Amino acid sequence: MRKLILLVCLAAISASAGAQSAEWWKNRSRIETDSLYSSILGDIREYNIYIPQNYDINTDKRYPIVYLLHGMNDNHRGWYERGHLLDVMDLLTGSGEACEMIIVTPNAGGNIYAGDWNGYFNMPGWAYEDFFFKEFVPYIESRYRVISDKGHRAIAGLSMGGGGCTSYAQKHPEMFCAAYPMSALMMIPERNAAAPARPGDKMDLLTRSVIENNCITFVTNADEQTKEALRSVKWFVDCGDDDFLLDCNIGFFQAMRAAGIPCEFRIRNGGHLWEYWNDALYISLPFFTRCFGESR
Amino acid sequence: MRKLILLVCLAAISASAGAQSAEWWKNRSRIETDSLYSSILGDIREYNIYIPQNYDINTDKRYPIVYLLHGMNDNHRGWYERGHLLDVMDLLTGSGEACEMIIVTPNAGGNIYAGDWNGYFNMPGWAYEDFFFKEFVPYIESRYRVISDKGHRAIAGLSMGGGGCTSYAQKHPEMFCAAYPMSALMMIPERNAAAPARPGDKMDLLTRSVIENNCITFVTNADEQTKEALRSVKWFVDCGDDDFLLDCNIGFFQAMRAAGIPCEFRIRNGGHLWEYWNDALYISLPFFTRCFGESR
Amino acid sequence: MRKLILLVCLAAISASAGAQSAEWWKNRSRIETDSLYSSILGDIREYNIYIPQNYDINTDKRYPIVYLLHGMNDNHRGWYERGHLLDVMDLLTGSGEACEMIIVTPNAGGNIYAGDWNGYFNMPGWAYEDFFFKEFVPYIESRYRVISDKGHRAIAGLSMGGGGCTSYAQKHPEMFCAAYPMSALMMIPERNAAAPARPGDKMDLLTRSVIENNCITFVTNADEQTKEALRSVKWFVDCGDDDFLLDCNIGFFQAMRAAGIPCEFRIRNGGHLWEYWNDALYISLPFFTRCFGESR
Amino acid sequence: MRKLILLVCLAAISASAGAQSAEWWKNRSRIETDSLYSSILGDIREYNIYIPQNYDINTDKRYPIVYLLHGMNDNHRGWYERGHLLDVMDLLTGSGEACEMIIVTPNAGGNIYAGDWNGYFNMPGWAYEDFFFKEFVPYIESRYRVISDKGHRAIAGLSMGGGGCTSYAQKHPEMFCAAYPMSALMMIPERNAAAPARPGDKMDLLTRSVIENNCITFVTNADEQTKEALRSVKWFVDCGDDDFLLDCNIGFFQAMRAAGIPCEFRIRNGGHLWEYWNDALYISLPFFTRCFGESR
């Protein structure tokens, strides 16, 4: 009788195989964990990277790339372990809703309460933004077969990483064709900033760096040339109606609209939650796919 | 006080303008009705065509094209008047979910009970399929600025037109990159076919033509070369759980899977209804956009 | 051969019949147009009403009711002719997503530029709000088999009618279990209000009435008892990201949140468009169904 | 500066509190793991149970209940650890899409290759179905404040548990108001069944039990009285287009339709995957909520 179960399983495998390609099992999509040494940070930094199916077979093919940023107190594994990035990509590429792409999640965090640095901006002792643009991006795009141009490079992130992705795309609109901040920490109000609780404390430095990289005032203060550059990026802002960061996302959207910079905006059901961000993958990855498609 | 309302309206216009382009109002998207003379049919045939925004401004730009087929007893105006194609396209292109494209709905129908011909296949006295491929497609693609290649040409249709779009893409896989049949009449069972009620009657001829162009047996009987050609088309079958044509759509999908031809399949809520087909536009037009994107 | 088509049709009918009840065809759902004389308005007012399937068979059954308000320059037929209310209800009740209910669309409009009155509030010469609560609701709920309690009465509306439904539920929280404003005109700023363009003009009177019934300041100024009453209504605010009324909907939601009154909030893709409102039916009618369900 | 982050967090907490109830933090929803001793199975069986918010405060309140079954080689923790049931319920109850309910996931599995029993049916040495109805349901519904009637009891499950939930509701339609099988193992074909690989092996016994409890032939062979009883349950079948079990789900739906038993049917994008089942919670829990609502 065991054969019956085997028959069922074989049917499954052959059906899947038929539905995709005869060699799908030879080289499945996967998440790899790897690291690089950063002279800027003086340390080894890990990252996770989504490698599409058949990457090792189609050795001439180059892929678009998404930089996907995590939130505070999280790290490069969050999008894999709780965001289920691998499963989502398999589903979306299976139906064609997402194209084959490389997705990399750098580590800009850890447990801040246990002394780990957190944050995507430069701060005294942690020049993460320099690391990202001078070391990380060049390393990734030379080591993996990436199409290294604006039209095939996008950025997304959640919470602290949503602010990071927004600010990165604001400062480097020539690098990214699209940005998708989720539940983003777009700013922290400046009040009380004059009196740091514990100067030099990593949380204080992180807070200060977010204050200095206010994504809303960046838009408000932009000159016409900057606005025109920002219009070359496709923007999509996504935040839950119960999210404690909702108001700064509304503020960002209103500033973009006032500046005449096209920006999609969605408020969906939910708060500052992984269920929300898992869902956001189903919107952002097809969005990036369309943006990449326009550049082919 | 009237000024207040005016202020609100002006705010609306300027906001929309800002969100898109400064000249959006110069050349809006539109539906045009026009016609051509067919020597094959010996008659003038009307069609509706969706012209994207700025078509008359960007006079060097060429566009992908979708052929969108109506159902029995309907005509070229149905997708506009009840499917609300113009409104849907404005919404989807506004958010980038659909790219700018030309969409043409030919007239292959009318009131069959009042004596109008209906049907997408050749039948004695109504060689519509010949007309479509020999006259209609060449006419449209020379008169409008269409990208005339497989990678930028797709076909969709509902009910009788769902069967039509499937059969057209089966016989001309070198012409279409994607096909999206909705609630499709994939076949009519052959029983009783020997005894036509009224030989020569237009309904009899239509029925006979659908029997002869069985989309399921086409797949079942396909040789390996034909199957390989069919694999070059992206297929998406969409039918409601209350649709009286559901079983033949299931049969078609199962035949495709057995033949190893990738085919997306969805059963959503509903019957043989315009609400269903209006919704199907929100799935099919982004699907085509992704297919076109891969060909750029 | 005609028999073949007939066979298909019969299959359809029997399948549908099987899927629902053996008598579904005896008494289909329908939209009726009727009217009543209003002594308050001194005129006959028309309305459309959605009558659920089997209403005339289950003559003991009473139904929940939704008051569904149209926008400016529209009338009681809009939700039927362009909102496709009948089709949507058939689809949603077929799958159980919406329960059987009565839905009435009163006429509070017409062509304001041709001299028709528009508006849901009292204004000199057009005491529509009085008419609605003193004549229309009592008439409808005595003429049709409605469950006349708060737990089974809800209100929704679009644009001008979105403001109307919000204001009605604010002033009569004891009457409605739920309110769903779509793309709502929540307020008009008061500036310039001192200088009416043409005093007594119907557009001026309408504008003035909206200014006086500001839905946001109603919340901001509410005392604790009023807030507590507002908490007994389930609120759902829905507005498109391209809608020129978005900001006042954001303002309303923020005021509700500040007042501690639970309120769902969604920003979906789109502008001030029927495609948006048609979609909103697919969210609001299941929402009302759940609210009615809690009261059984 | 730390205060700034604290301010943000406090804002979040107060906003959430305001949006729900002043005491939400006193008694959050939770998943508990517990166990009972089964004399039928001669062993202790664990289960997980979702306890709604404020369960310990509203000590007079009784709740509807959902029995949620896992798949082969999984156990009672799967719906929590990978299905993220707690997060989904918090999201859906927050917006009202799901009502407060108790959800219990019994353990009918483990690692079958390591010798654990698996399966929802009676088999020699593992009378699980007896345990479920004679011990488990009575225990749960006496220990927790459940509304113990058909109108407030529903059942769902995935894969092997999808077949289990279907069969349970078929044999006990007087107990369940609704059933929602996901990617269900509705049957195993009988061929080869005469020659068990290793008689008495747990996999063999499981396979045999599924063969004996064929959900499709149950419908096909049902007499009119049984069909009428099955019509008192609301059925919803949900399976992915890439699922290797799709055909038996299609077969089940077609049998139900032929028998005149209303049954919703959806084919969505995906295969036999947790991403699919996590999504299915967003459909099934609101579906159950509507079913419970009709019984109040």
Side-chain angles (χ1 to χ4, degrees):
Chain A
M1 251 184 295
R2 171 161 288 166
K3 290 175 200 162
L4 295 185
I5 285 288
L6 286 177
L7 275 172
V8 169
C9 294
L10 285 172
I13 287 168
S14 63
S16 299
Q20 298 176 22
S21 100
E23 286 171 322
W24 71 271
W25 52 271
K26 276 203 189 167
N27 205 335
R28 305 210 55 171
S29 61
R30 61 189 186 273
I31 300 272
E32 292 180 356
T33 299
D34 213 324
S35 64
L36 76 163
Y37 177 77
S38 162
S39 356
I40 291 173
L41 299 175
D43 201 0
I44 287 174
R45 298 309 299 172
E46 288 197 317
Y47 61 88
N48 270 8
I49 191 158
Y50 171 86
I51 303 290
Q53 175 180 302
N54 293 324
Y55 181 84
D56 297 327
I57 291 179
N58 305 330
T59 51
D60 288 338
K61 186 172 178 184
R62 292 188 164 271
Y63 298 85
I65 186 163
V66 173
Y67 292 85
L68 184 58
L69 311 184
H70 63 74
M72 199 178 83
N73 264 336
D74 198 1
N75 60 39
H76 55 295
R77 292 186 302 271
W79 275 111
Y80 176 52
E81 293 173 356
R82 184 55 185 86
H84 304 301
L85 177 62
L86 180 62
D87 298 349
V88 175
M89 271 302 283
D90 284 354
L91 194 58
L92 293 180
T93 54
S95 63
E97 283 167 84
C99 64
E100 301 289 359
M101 57 178 94
I102 289 172
I103 303 174
V104 65
T105 56
N107 181 5
N111 187 346
I112 199 167
Y113 305 113
D116 290 336
W117 284 104
N118 266 259
Y120 294 97
F121 303 123
N122 287 337
M123 46 192 105
W126 176 255
Y128 193 87
E129 189 166 346
D130 286 349
F131 157 72
F132 186 87
F133 286 101
K134 293 180 184 164
E135 294 182 331
F136 188 68
V137 170
Y139 176 83
I140 292 296
E141 302 197 1
S142 62
R143 169 146 181 211
Y144 302 91
R145 297 197 312 276
V146 169
I147 310 174
S148 284
D149 63 25
K150 172 185 168 78
H152 299 85
R153 193 187 290 116
I155 190 160
L158 74 87
S159 195
M160 179 183 88
C165 91
T166 305
S167 190
Y168 281 10
Q170 287 178 328
K171 294 175 199 164
H172 300 275
E174 77 289 354
M175 284 184 65
F176 302 102
C177 65
Y180 191 108
M182 308 163 183
S183 313
L185 182 64
M186 291 291 189
M187 54 85 80
I188 295 181
E190 198 141 359
R191 60 193 171 203
N192 292 346
R198 297 159 60 192
D201 176 89
K202 284 170 181 167
M203 179 68 96
D204 282 347
L205 292 169
L206 169 59
T207 305
R208 165 57 54 193
S209 77
V210 175
I211 291 173
E212 285 167 356
N213 288 275
N214 187 312
C215 299
I216 300 175
T217 52
F218 187 97
V219 176
T220 313
N221 299 336
D223 58 22
E224 189 47 44
Q225 191 182 348
T226 305
K227 287 179 190 169
E228 194 54 33
L230 294 177
R231 285 183 198 115
S232 75
V233 180
K234 292 192 185 294
W235 297 90
F236 201 120
V237 174
D238 182 359
C239 188
D241 67 335
D242 293 325
D243 199 303
F244 70 96
L245 294 178
L246 178 58
D247 284 355
C248 70
N249 283 273
I250 289 173
F252 177 78
F253 169 72
Q254 290 173 325
M256 293 287 274
R257 195 184 52 194
I261 305 165
C263 181
E264 291 298 311
F265 188 32
R266 300 290 184 278
I267 296 185
R268 298 183 290 114
N269 182 35
H272 213 70
L273 300 166
W274 267 111
E275 283 296 293
Y276 195 90
W277 303 318
N278 171 266
D279 262 6
L281 290 178
Y282 288 86
I283 308 173
S284 56
L285 297 172
F287 167 70
F288 289 150
T289 296
R290 292 189 303 265
C291 295
F292 297 149
E294 292 182 20
S295 304
R296 280 183 210 191
Chain B
M1 251 184 298
R2 172 162 284 166
K3 289 176 201 161
L4 295 184
I5 286 290
L6 285 177
L7 274 172
V8 169
C9 294
L10 285 173
I13 288 168
S14 63
S16 301
Q20 298 177 22
S21 99
E23 285 171 323
W24 70 271
W25 52 271
K26 277 203 188 166
N27 206 336
R28 304 209 57 169
S29 60
R30 62 187 185 273
I31 301 274
E32 291 180 357
T33 299
D34 213 325
S35 63
L36 75 164
Y37 177 78
S38 162
S39 357
I40 292 173
L41 299 176
D43 201 0
I44 288 174
R45 298 307 300 170
E46 287 198 320
Y47 61 89
N48 270 9
I49 191 158
Y50 171 85
I51 303 291
Q53 175 179 301
N54 292 324
Y55 180 85
D56 297 327
I57 291 180
N58 305 330
T59 51
D60 288 339
K61 187 172 175 183
R62 293 189 164 269
Y63 297 85
I65 185 163
V66 173
Y67 291 85
L68 183 58
L69 311 184
H70 62 75
M72 197 178 83
N73 263 336
D74 198 2
N75 60 38
H76 54 295
R77 291 186 303 271
W79 275 111
Y80 175 53
E81 293 173 356
R82 183 56 185 84
H84 302 301
L85 177 61
L86 180 62
D87 297 349
V88 174
M89 271 302 284
D90 283 354
L91 195 58
L92 293 180
T93 54
S95 64
E97 284 167 83
C99 65
E100 301 290 358
M101 56 179 92
I102 288 171
I103 303 174
V104 65
T105 56
N107 180 6
N111 187 346
I112 199 167
Y113 305 113
D116 290 334
W117 284 103
N118 266 259
Y120 294 98
F121 303 123
N122 287 336
M123 46 194 104
W126 177 254
Y128 194 88
E129 189 165 347
D130 286 348
F131 158 72
F132 186 86
F133 285 101
K134 294 180 185 166
E135 294 181 331
F136 188 68
V137 170
Y139 175 83
I140 293 294
E141 302 197 1
S142 63
R143 166 143 184 214
Y144 301 91
R145 296 198 313 278
V146 168
I147 310 174
S148 283
D149 63 25
K150 173 185 168 76
H152 299 85
R153 192 188 291 115
I155 190 160
L158 73 88
S159 195
M160 179 183 88
C165 91
T166 304
S167 189
Y168 282 8
Q170 287 179 328
K171 296 174 198 163
H172 300 276
E174 77 289 355
M175 283 184 65
F176 302 101
C177 65
Y180 192 108
M182 309 163 183
S183 314
L185 181 65
M186 292 291 191
M187 53 86 80
I188 293 180
E190 198 142 358
R191 58 192 173 203
N192 293 343
R198 296 159 60 192
D201 176 269
K202 284 172 181 164
M203 179 68 95
D204 282 347
L205 292 169
L206 169 60
T207 304
R208 165 57 54 196
S209 76
V210 175
I211 291 173
E212 285 167 356
N213 288 276
N214 187 314
C215 299
I216 300 175
T217 53
F218 186 97
V219 177
T220 312
N221 299 337
D223 58 22
E224 188 48 43
Q225 190 182 348
T226 305
K227 286 179 190 170
E228 194 56 31
L230 294 176
R231 286 184 197 112
S232 75
V233 180
K234 292 192 184 296
W235 297 90
F236 200 119
V237 174
D238 182 1
C239 189
D241 67 336
D242 294 325
D243 199 302
F244 70 95
L245 294 178
L246 178 58
D247 284 355
C248 70
N249 283 273
I250 289 173
F252 177 78
F253 169 72
Q254 290 173 326
M256 293 287 275
R257 196 184 51 194
I261 305 165
C263 180
E264 291 298 311
F265 188 31
R266 300 290 184 279
I267 296 185
R268 299 183 289 114
N269 182 37
H272 212 70
L273 301 166
W274 267 111
E275 283 296 293
Y276 195 89
W277 304 318
N278 171 265
D279 262 6
L281 289 178
Y282 288 85
I283 308 173
S284 56
L285 297 172
F287 167 70
F288 290 150
T289 296
R290 292 188 303 266
C291 296
F292 297 148
E294 292 182 20
S295 304
R296 280 185 210 190
Chain C
M1 254 185 295
R2 171 162 287 167
K3 289 175 200 162
L4 296 184
I5 286 288
L6 285 177
L7 275 173
V8 169
C9 294
L10 285 173
I13 288 168
S14 64
S16 301
Q20 299 175 21
S21 100
E23 286 171 321
W24 70 271
W25 52 271
K26 275 201 189 169
N27 206 334
R28 304 209 58 169
S29 60
R30 62 187 185 274
I31 301 272
E32 292 179 356
T33 300
D34 214 325
S35 63
L36 74 164
Y37 177 78
S38 162
S39 358
I40 291 174
L41 299 175
D43 201 359
I44 287 175
R45 298 307 299 172
E46 288 198 320
Y47 60 89
N48 270 9
I49 190 159
Y50 170 86
I51 302 291
Q53 175 177 303
N54 293 324
Y55 181 85
D56 297 327
I57 292 179
N58 305 330
T59 51
D60 287 339
K61 187 171 175 182
R62 293 188 163 271
Y63 297 84
I65 186 163
V66 173
Y67 292 86
L68 183 58
L69 311 185
H70 63 75
M72 198 178 84
N73 263 338
D74 197 4
N75 60 39
H76 54 296
R77 292 186 302 270
W79 276 110
Y80 175 53
E81 293 172 357
R82 183 56 185 84
H84 303 300
L85 177 61
L86 180 61
D87 298 348
V88 175
M89 271 302 284
D90 283 354
L91 194 59
L92 293 180
T93 54
S95 64
E97 284 167 83
C99 65
E100 301 289 358
M101 57 179 91
I102 289 171
I103 303 174
V104 65
T105 56
N107 181 5
N111 187 347
I112 198 166
Y113 305 113
D116 289 335
W117 284 104
N118 266 260
Y120 294 97
F121 303 123
N122 287 336
M123 46 194 103
W126 177 254
Y128 193 88
E129 188 165 347
D130 285 348
F131 158 71
F132 186 87
F133 286 101
K134 294 181 183 163
E135 294 181 332
F136 187 69
V137 171
Y139 176 82
I140 293 296
E141 303 197 3
S142 63
R143 167 143 183 215
Y144 302 91
R145 295 197 315 276
V146 169
I147 310 175
S148 285
D149 63 25
K150 171 184 169 77
H152 300 84
R153 193 187 291 117
I155 190 159
L158 74 88
S159 195
M160 179 183 88
C165 91
T166 304
S167 189
Y168 281 10
Q170 286 179 328
K171 295 174 199 164
H172 300 276
E174 78 289 353
M175 283 184 67
F176 302 100
C177 64
Y180 191 108
M182 309 163 183
S183 314
L185 181 65
M186 292 290 190
M187 53 87 79
I188 294 180
E190 198 141 0
R191 60 192 172 204
N192 293 345
R198 295 158 62 191
D201 175 270
K202 282 171 181 167
M203 179 68 95
D204 283 347
L205 291 170
L206 169 59
T207 304
R208 166 57 56 194
S209 77
V210 175
I211 291 173
E212 284 167 357
N213 287 275
N214 187 312
C215 298
I216 300 175
T217 52
F218 187 96
V219 176
T220 313
N221 299 336
D223 58 23
E224 189 46 46
Q225 191 182 346
T226 304
K227 288 179 189 169
E228 193 56 31
L230 293 177
R231 286 184 196 113
S232 75
V233 179
K234 293 191 186 295
W235 298 90
F236 200 120
V237 174
D238 182 358
C239 188
D241 66 337
D242 293 325
D243 199 303
F244 69 96
L245 294 178
L246 177 58
D247 284 354
C248 70
N249 282 272
I250 289 173
F252 177 78
F253 169 71
Q254 290 173 325
M256 292 288 274
R257 195 183 53 193
I261 305 165
C263 181
E264 291 298 312
F265 188 31
R266 300 291 184 279
I267 296 185
R268 298 183 290 114
N269 182 35
H272 212 70
L273 301 166
W274 266 111
E275 282 296 293
Y276 195 90
W277 304 317
N278 172 265
D279 262 5
L281 289 178
Y282 287 85
I283 308 174
S284 56
L285 297 172
F287 167 70
F288 290 149
T289 296
R290 293 189 302 266
C291 295
F292 297 149
E294 293 183 18
S295 304
R296 282 184 206 188
Chain D
M1 251 185 295
R2 172 162 286 166
K3 288 175 199 161
L4 295 185
I5 286 289
L6 286 177
L7 274 173
V8 169
C9 294
L10 286 172
I13 289 168
S14 63
S16 301
Q20 297 175 23
S21 98
E23 284 171 323
W24 70 271
W25 52 271
K26 276 201 189 169
N27 205 335
R28 303 208 58 170
S29 61
R30 62 187 185 273
I31 300 273
E32 291 181 356
T33 299
D34 214 325
S35 64
L36 74 164
Y37 177 78
S38 162
S39 0
I40 291 173
L41 299 175
D43 201 0
I44 287 174
R45 299 306 299 171
E46 287 197 319
Y47 61 88
N48 270 8
I49 192 160
Y50 170 85
I51 303 290
Q53 174 179 303
N54 293 323
Y55 181 85
D56 297 327
I57 291 180
N58 304 330
T59 51
D60 288 340
K61 186 171 176 182
R62 292 187 164 271
Y63 298 85
I65 185 163
V66 173
Y67 292 85
L68 184 58
L69 311 185
H70 62 75
M72 198 179 83
N73 263 337
D74 198 3
N75 60 37
H76 54 294
R77 292 186 303 270
W79 275 111
Y80 175 52
E81 292 172 357
R82 183 57 185 85
H84 304 300
L85 177 61
L86 180 62
D87 298 349
V88 175
M89 271 302 283
D90 283 355
L91 195 57
L92 293 180
T93 54
S95 64
E97 284 168 82
C99 65
E100 301 288 358
M101 56 178 93
I102 288 171
I103 303 174
V104 65
T105 57
N107 180 6
N111 187 346
I112 199 167
Y113 305 112
D116 289 335
W117 284 104
N118 266 259
Y120 294 97
F121 302 124
N122 287 337
M123 46 193 104
W126 177 254
Y128 193 88
E129 189 166 347
D130 286 350
F131 157 72
F132 186 87
F133 286 101
K134 293 180 184 164
E135 293 182 332
F136 188 69
V137 170
Y139 176 83
I140 293 296
E141 302 197 1
S142 63
R143 168 144 182 214
Y144 301 92
R145 296 197 314 276
V146 169
I147 310 174
S148 285
D149 63 26
K150 173 185 168 76
H152 299 85
R153 193 187 289 116
I155 190 159
L158 73 89
S159 194
M160 178 183 88
C165 90
T166 304
S167 190
Y168 281 9
Q170 286 179 329
K171 296 174 198 164
H172 300 276
E174 78 289 354
M175 283 184 67
F176 302 101
C177 64
Y180 191 108
M182 309 163 183
S183 315
L185 181 65
M186 291 292 190
M187 53 85 79
I188 293 180
E190 198 142 357
R191 57 191 173 201
N192 292 345
R198 296 159 62 192
D201 176 89
K202 283 171 182 166
M203 179 68 95
D204 282 347
L205 292 170
L206 169 59
T207 304
R208 166 57 54 193
S209 77
V210 176
I211 291 173
E212 286 167 356
N213 287 275
N214 187 313
C215 298
I216 299 174
T217 51
F218 187 96
V219 176
T220 312
N221 300 337
D223 58 21
E224 190 46 45
Q225 190 181 350
T226 304
K227 287 179 190 170
E228 194 56 31
L230 293 177
R231 286 183 197 114
S232 75
V233 179
K234 291 191 186 295
W235 298 89
F236 201 119
V237 174
D238 182 0
C239 188
D241 66 337
D242 294 325
D243 200 303
F244 70 96
L245 294 178
L246 177 59
D247 284 355
C248 70
N249 282 273
I250 288 173
F252 177 77
F253 169 71
Q254 290 173 326
M256 293 287 275
R257 196 185 50 192
I261 305 165
C263 181
E264 291 297 312
F265 187 32
R266 300 290 183 280
I267 297 184
R268 298 183 290 114
N269 182 35
H272 213 70
L273 301 166
W274 267 112
E275 282 296 294
Y276 196 89
W277 304 319
N278 170 266
D279 261 6
L281 290 178
Y282 287 86
I283 307 173
S284 56
L285 297 172
F287 168 69
F288 290 150
T289 296
R290 293 189 302 265
C291 297
F292 297 150
E294 293 182 17
S295 305
R296 281 184 208 189

